[in-house]
Amino acid sequence: SFAQHLVYIWTHLPANFRADLKHLRSLEPGQERRDAAKQIRQNALNGVYGAEIQKRAEARKDHHGSLITKLPDNLKADLKELKAADRSERVDLAEQIAKNALDGDYGKRIQAKAERFHASDRWQNCEV
């Protein structure tokens, strides 16, 4: 399932990266949280979390925030709902978002990306 794939990806992130992300999530919204996010981003760019994370951070460094702004409004709304949901509801909501993406509910562009990801080796070979 989509949720199982997310768990698989999460568990294969470097331990220090996961720890920093967990700490970030524990912080209340505000300056301290923004500063922690900036530090994580800088650590990723500096290779603190390993070469793979560094490569991905480099590829995204000039696109901070632009990925979300380009998403369809209904997908942004669903992602906000997912973020705000109780932990117990998130798996079901994530599954529904994945289904909606594959069904084309967020438009052809998102559907094509979802189909490519769903057909990818990473998705097909994922074991949880």
Side-chain angles (χ1 to χ4, degrees), residues 57-120:
E58 283 289 336
R60 298 188 196 297
K61 75 178 181 182
D62 296 327
H63 302 288
H64 177 66
S66 66
L67 295 175
I68 296 294
T69 60
K70 293 180 182 179
L71 294 177
D73 290 340
N74 58 342
L75 177 53
K76 284 192 273 190
D78 287 351
L79 291 172
K80 285 180 183 178
E81 180 183 353
L82 176 66
K83 182 179 177 184
D86 274 345
R87 203 172 278 264
S88 63
E89 298 172 349
R90 288 186 185 153
V91 171
D92 290 338
L93 287 172
E95 291 283 354
Q96 187 60 50
I97 290 169
K99 181 185 178 312
N100 292 350
L102 287 168
D103 290 347
D105 293 353
Y106 304 123
K108 296 277 187 210
R109 183 176 59 93
I110 299 299
Q111 182 180 24
K113 288 179 184 287
E115 288 171 349
R116 278 194 307 274
F117 183 72
H118 195 261
S120 71

Side-chain angles (χ1 to χ4, degrees), residues 8 12-13 31 36 46 77-78 88 94 110 120:
Y8 174 83
H12 285 78
L13 291 174
Q31 189 60 48
N46 291 342
D78 287 351
S88 63
I110 299 299
S120 71

Side-chain angles (χ1 to χ4, degrees), residues 10 14-27 33 36-37 39-41 43-44 48-49:
W10 173 257
N16 59 341
F17 189 39
R18 286 194 322 261
D20 286 352
L21 291 172
K22 283 181 182 179
H23 173 71
L24 176 67
R25 186 156 174 89
S26 73
L27 298 173
R33 188 174 185 170
Q39 185 60 53
I40 291 170
R41 190 175 305 112
N43 287 349
V48 171
Y49 306 122

